[in-house]
Amino acid sequence: MKPAVYLRMMLRESRGAFGRLAFFVACLAVGVAAVVAVAGLSSSLDDGLRGEARQLLAADLRIEGSRPLPPGLDLARAGLVGARRTDVLEMVTVVASPTGKSQLVELKVIDGDYPFYGKLELQPARPLRDLLDPESAVVAPELLSRLGLKVGDRLEIGGQSFHIAGQVLSEPDRISISITLGPRVFLSAPGLARTALAGRGSRIDRKTLIQLPAGVTTSQLTAAVEKLRHALPNPSFYRIETYKEGQPALRENFRRV
């Protein structure tokens, strides 16, 4: 049978099913367009997260775990000569105003400079280390509105009274779409020591932020991470994340969505 005959038969058969054929082609087009759009969006988000990785991490390298790092951990021996370190503790607790109102908050304790990268927006616009001392706290604006307080008032945290020195408007390493249990409250390490919040049985998330010296290459960073893993006792209790990974947990969630 000649090709022309086949063509005439196809045209004749398609006349009665033109609507179904058009619907089928449209479904294919929409499906392909959706796949391409989702893949493009995922790729753009992934590239964006990688590009802002340092700001989202607030450091070049972060060690996270439920146990404190050993006090004798030497970053220089781990291959991080000249690196700067800041320890961060995060926990959930309840604070109270002098009038008796209380509120669940997310407490963040800073021991060192914060952040190494990104912008921490505070009011007044001063470095966090200048606002925090053993008797002061920096809180989110929503906490002030819920408790009817203002900057300069007193706030009870862990059974101790603290002076509200300022407000925190945004943090570079806090994703705005993440689930939060309450407004943010910043304390210094000496301020936390005044309370009983870090006692036995307390649930605390511990992070160590590390800023690497300028000029560190990717290969040097990888080697330093391996040395750091060997320097940690029970490394299974810690997770080490670098800016090169670009928030892997968040990127994986985007891929799942």
Side-chain angles (χ1 to χ4, degrees):
M1 190 177 292
K2 296 181 179 180
V5 178
Y6 277 116
L7 183 60
R8 286 197 298 272
M9 292 178 61
M10 289 175 58
L11 291 174
R12 186 170 59 250
E13 293 295 329
S14 65
R15 286 172 191 157
F18 181 78
R20 292 192 295 273
L21 182 62
F23 180 73
F24 176 71
V25 173
C27 287
L28 286 178
V30 171
V32 171
V35 170
V36 172
V38 169
L41 177 61
S42 176
S43 177
S44 298
L45 288 172
D46 189 77
D47 292 342
L49 288 173
R50 287 183 182 276
E52 300 295 326
R54 275 193 172 99
Q55 287 73 20
L56 292 173
L57 204 63
D60 291 311
L61 188 151
R62 181 172 69 187
I63 307 171
E64 189 172 352
S66 57
R67 296 187 176 187
L69 288 178
L73 180 64
D74 189 345
L75 295 180
R77 292 184 61 186
L80 301 175
V81 179
R84 299 170 61 200
R85 167 181 173 175
T86 291
D87 292 319
V88 179
L89 306 182
E90 293 184 349
M91 68 187 77
V92 177
T93 188
V94 175
V95 301
S97 69
T99 61
K101 293 182 179 179
S102 60
Q103 171 67 46
L104 189 71
V105 300
E106 291 184 344
L107 190 65
K108 191 167 187 174
V109 181
I110 306 296
D111 186 9
D113 293 327
Y114 172 86
F116 290 127
Y117 301 102
K119 186 177 181 181
L120 176 68
E121 293 188 18
L122 301 174
Q123 194 177 41
R126 296 168 55 191
L128 183 62
R129 62 178 176 271
D130 292 347
L131 294 177
L132 289 183
D133 59 44
E135 297 186 358
S136 67
V138 174
V139 306
E142 55 266 32
L143 179 64
L144 298 180
S145 62
R146 292 177 189 179
L147 297 183
L149 300 174
K150 62 183 183 299
V151 175
D153 289 343
R154 309 294 296 186
L155 182 69
E156 186 173 304
I157 306 173
Q160 298 294 325
S161 180
F162 289 84
H163 165 257
I164 300 175
Q167 302 177 67
V168 54
L169 306 180
S170 69
E171 304 166 51
D173 55 341
R174 191 180 197 186
I175 308 300
S176 59
I177 60 174
S178 61
I179 298 175
T180 59
L181 298 177
R184 175 69 82 198
V185 173
F186 277 96
L187 283 184
S188 65
L192 178 67
R194 293 178 54 221
T195 73
L197 295 176
R200 185 178 180 85
S202 301
R203 183 177 178 85
I204 302 175
D205 293 326
R206 304 173 186 272
K207 301 176 183 177
T208 295
L209 306 180
I210 297 175
Q211 183 188 40
L212 302 176
V216 173
T217 64
T218 301
S219 59
Q220 290 174 327
L221 175 61
T222 303
V225 170
E226 289 303 315
K227 290 182 179 179
L228 193 57
R229 285 197 174 98
H230 287 93
L232 290 172
N234 299 319
S236 60
F237 289 108
Y238 304 94
R239 185 172 77 248
I240 301 176
E241 183 179 346
T242 71
Y243 75 92
K244 289 294 184 181
E245 297 172 89
Q247 291 282 347
L250 183 59
R251 286 165 46 220
E252 179 61 25
N253 288 336
F254 276 130
R255 278 194 291 268
R256 290 175 180 173
V257 172

